[in-house]
Amino acid sequence: WRLLFEEKRRILLTHLRGVDIDANAVEVARFSLLLKLIEAETAAGLRDYVATKHSAALPALDANLRAGNSLVSSAEWTAVRGGLLPVLLEKVNPFTWPAEFPTEMAGGGFNVIVGNPPYIRIQNMVGYSPEEAAFYQSPLSPYTTARQDNFDKYALFIERALTLVRPDGRVAVIVPHKFMTTQAGRALRHLITTGHRLEKVVHFGVQQVFGRQAANYTCILVLDRRGSADVEIERVEALEAWRYRSE
């Protein structure tokens, strides 16, 4: 069994949305999705689709995948910092979710959010973007996980994601697991356990999910906004076997 081209195209346009602060990464993602769309399709089949549907086989994905800063909107920045100077506009690249994805946000948000957020400590943020770091740490910012001396940017992405999913939605992210035991991880631990949001943890221990060139000790967190009575813990001992297992 396999999906027809028309159904794959419908799923892509109807159900997939994405955001990245790097416009080049967005272009790469659009191109990759289009390649996946036509994977295993024949030239004759694509010509037949164009002839019968009177539409281009490859859709434009400009509205589906957008470039911007998922963590900062113009209104939030203005409320905290008093306005966004032109010199900072390109650097901060604010992204207003209701304006960029009006249908989804008017409907209560997204059903599922998945991501691999950046792992950047506050000390490094201060070095490359002190204005943005000050925004996150302000008492007026929307981020409770930033109201301490030491935090990591991935915590902000988890906090933002929980505000963007529907009340019955889920969030799944891969992040370093050191937050589970460090003092700096207290705010994030509080966030994901409040309301029993934590549903599942896939713990990779010392195994390198991203290869040796990016040494990080990671886990996958699955959060359910409805709350979960139980938490499933899975510890991965053999990465390749886990990655290619059949369910």
Side-chain angles (χ1 to χ4, degrees):
W1 295 91
R2 69 181 185 90
L3 290 176
L4 297 174
F5 174 78
E6 182 178 352
E7 179 64 3
K8 290 192 294 183
R9 192 180 189 276
R10 185 195 68 80
I11 291 171
L12 173 59
L13 291 176
T14 306
H15 297 294
L16 294 185
R17 303 291 183 266
V19 181
D20 195 286
I21 196 169
D22 184 349
N24 292 325
V26 172
E27 284 298 319
V28 170
R30 289 171 181 164
F31 183 65
S32 298
L33 285 170
L34 293 177
L35 287 178
K36 192 67 178 177
L37 176 63
I38 61 174
E39 186 178 74
E41 299 294 333
T42 64
L46 294 175
R47 284 195 298 267
D48 182 65
Y49 175 86
V50 172
T52 56
K53 300 297 181 180
H54 306 290
S55 175
L58 297 181
L61 298 179
D62 298 36
N64 295 66
L65 274 71
R66 314 283 294 182
N69 190 332
S70 301
L71 300 177
V72 183
S73 71
S74 296
E76 289 169 334
W77 186 278
T78 300
V80 174
R81 303 287 290 170
L84 194 61
L85 299 176
V87 69
L88 284 175
L89 187 61
E90 184 177 354
K91 186 177 182 181
V92 175
N93 196 10
F95 187 88
T96 303
W97 288 89
E100 301 290 347
F101 295 121
T103 302
E104 292 78 7
M105 298 313 297
F110 300 94
N111 296 94
V112 176
I113 294 178
V114 297
N116 172 23
Y119 314 155
I120 305 173
R121 295 176 63 190
I122 177 61
Q123 292 87 344
N124 294 328
M125 270 188 272
V126 170
Y128 77 84
S129 185
E131 301 88 357
E132 194 174 347
F135 165 81
Y136 296 133
Q137 288 191 297
S138 169
L140 299 177
S141 89
Y143 297 104
T144 61
T145 51
R147 292 169 192 166
Q148 55 187 38
D149 293 335
N150 193 10
F151 68 94
D152 199 291
K153 202 169 189 177
Y154 65 78
L156 309 182
F157 277 88
I158 294 174
E159 189 167 1
R160 174 49 50 104
L162 285 169
T163 70
L164 296 174
V165 290
R166 296 167 60 91
D168 59 348
R170 283 184 168 88
V171 174
V173 291
I174 181 167
V175 296
H177 54 61
K178 65 181 180 181
F179 82 91
M180 297 179 180
T181 56
T182 63
Q183 184 176 359
R186 285 182 304 170
L188 180 54
R189 292 197 298 271
H190 177 74
L191 175 72
I192 66 176
T193 55
T194 299
H196 302 281
R197 291 167 173 159
L198 186 60
E199 179 182 0
K200 181 174 181 178
V201 178
V202 180
H203 199 291
F204 295 107
V206 298
Q207 300 193 67
Q208 296 300 304
V209 174
F210 299 108
R212 296 179 180 177
Q213 294 180 350
N216 284 297
Y217 303 115
T218 56
C219 67
I220 294 174
L221 301 178
V222 180
L223 310 175
D224 187 340
R225 270 200 66 186
R226 294 171 299 184
S228 179
D230 301 303
V231 180
E232 179 184 350
I233 307 295
E234 180 179 5
R235 189 169 184 97
V236 178
E237 302 295 346
L239 184 60
E240 293 305 302
W242 176 86
R243 181 175 281 160
Y244 298 110
R245 66 186 175 177
S246 10
E247 296 287 352

